[in-house]
Amino acid sequence: MSRKTNGMRIGILTAGGDCPGINAAIRGVGKTAIIKYGMKLIGISDGFTGMINKEYSELTERDLSGILTLGGTILGTSREKPFKNNGKKKSEIKKPVLIKEHYEQMELDCLVCIGGNGTLKTAHLLSQEGLNVIGIPKTIDNDVWGTDITFGFDSAVNIAAEAIDRLHSTANSHKRIMIIEVMGHNAGWIALYSGIAGGGDVILIPEIPYKEEKIAEYLLHRVEENKPYSIVVVAEGIRNPGKEKSVAQYLSNRIFEMTGLETRETVLGYIQRGGTPSPMDRVLATRYGTAAADMIAAKDFSKMVALKKNEITSVRLEDVAGKIKMVDPDDPLIIHLKNMGTSFGT
Ligand code: F6P
């Protein structure tokens, strides 16, 4: 334990949508900070809301025991965006000022922000305001720029793939077209990976615009080939030109109208975001957490921990903020799937 780090006060918050693995990351940061460096860990409640309202409490090493496998976040979360201006001038935005004041009053030496794109943008803006900040990327959507993978993604893909497996029984028995809508915000990562793992016949992602007629043609061709059932995996972020609330419902109606084939839709929803993290997510979150603590000790601030080619590294928050990592439509994975006959609705 170095004298330089001993007694440093590390604030930690989780913001944005919850996802499996957050508690494993908190544990990774906290145990390393406390055991290796003699730091203190200050848990901030409910994302940036806790910094604005000064709601926090110290987390001891004992508090971090037994949370590795827990879903959600022990700190609570919110979608509070303190820099959102709502038409106000920069000088009138009070929340960042409060956060700075409270950071000082809590005597923090650093603030660890665990979150997705919105959170990491706020983390960057706070670092520009002079706070010592470290970002840790988490989201089931896997859409954070600068890292190959975010924790939460593997668990979500596992759940979505299992759901697709289960839809196969009804699809097969009833000879139906089963349409499943998965999350992913504006990116298609969950749909692509769960679609591959679950053997989706059609996979629709926002990065590859689809044509309804192509989907209808493809499904009818399958019927001609003595494959009377199909699984269609759709990302929530694809175009929904209809009045239906979900794009799965829209496509279900359209496919029936165009083909006469019996269709059913499933919107997986929050099931894919909850519950215990997969072993892979536990490992990744632990790696991110421990790396973040080491970066704090080295005073390597204004950065996000990241994974590139399975090596832990870091990227500047400045480079991450405001970007989204989308699926590349020319990714070899997509080409291989096309070669195997999977339809992307094109
Ligand atoms: O970012 C994670 C995510 O689950 C997205 O996949 C989804 O679009 C969104 O959050 C849902 O947000 P909320 O929890 O605010 O309904």
Side-chain angles (χ1 to χ4, degrees), residues 165-328:
D165 287 351
R166 288 176 187 277
L167 292 177
H168 270 278
S169 322
T170 305
N172 195 350
S173 309
H174 287 260
K175 300 172 185 54
R176 283 177 181 160
I177 310 300
M178 302 299 276
I179 299 146
I180 176 165
E181 178 178 321
V182 296
M183 283 185 167
H185 203 221
N186 293 320
W189 295 102
I190 300 178
L192 179 62
Y193 275 72
S194 64
I196 297 171
D201 304 297
V202 180
I203 301 176
L204 304 179
I205 59 174
E207 294 86 345
I208 305 179
Y210 68 91
K211 290 196 178 72
E212 290 167 10
E213 316 74 60
K214 292 286 176 191
I215 302 170
E217 229 173 74
Y218 177 84
L219 295 174
L220 287 171
H221 183 64
R222 275 178 57 85
V223 175
E224 279 165 23
E225 287 192 322
N226 205 18
K227 295 174 192 163
Y229 75 92
S230 295
I231 301 282
V232 180
V233 182
V234 307
E236 64 174 351
I238 63 167
R239 182 176 59 91
N240 179 5
K243 291 196 177 63
E244 291 85 347
K245 225 175 144 198
S246 81
V247 71
Q249 172 83 67
Y250 169 76
L251 282 173
S252 179
N253 293 344
R254 283 298 291 140
I255 290 169
F256 177 67
E257 281 165 18
M258 288 188 290
T259 64
L261 299 171
E262 198 179 7
T263 57
R264 290 287 188 275
E265 66 284 339
T266 301
V267 179
L268 193 54
Y270 296 91
I271 307 282
Q272 74 208 279
R273 214 171 86 179
T276 189
S278 67
M280 289 301 280
D281 275 340
R282 294 177 201 180
V283 172
L284 181 61
T286 302
R287 290 177 79 188
Y288 280 164
T290 55
D294 287 340
M295 281 163 66
I296 298 166
K299 301 204 167 29
D300 193 10
F301 299 125
S302 306
K303 289 192 176 162
M304 177 188 87
V305 293
L307 194 80
K308 296 227 173 110
K309 298 193 166 71
N310 205 25
E311 295 280 337
I312 291 285
T313 176
S314 64
V315 286
R316 293 185 312 171
L317 283 169
E318 187 187 348
D319 295 333
V320 175
K323 294 190 190 140
I324 295 181
K325 184 185 71 183
M326 306 285 275
V327 175
D328 177 358

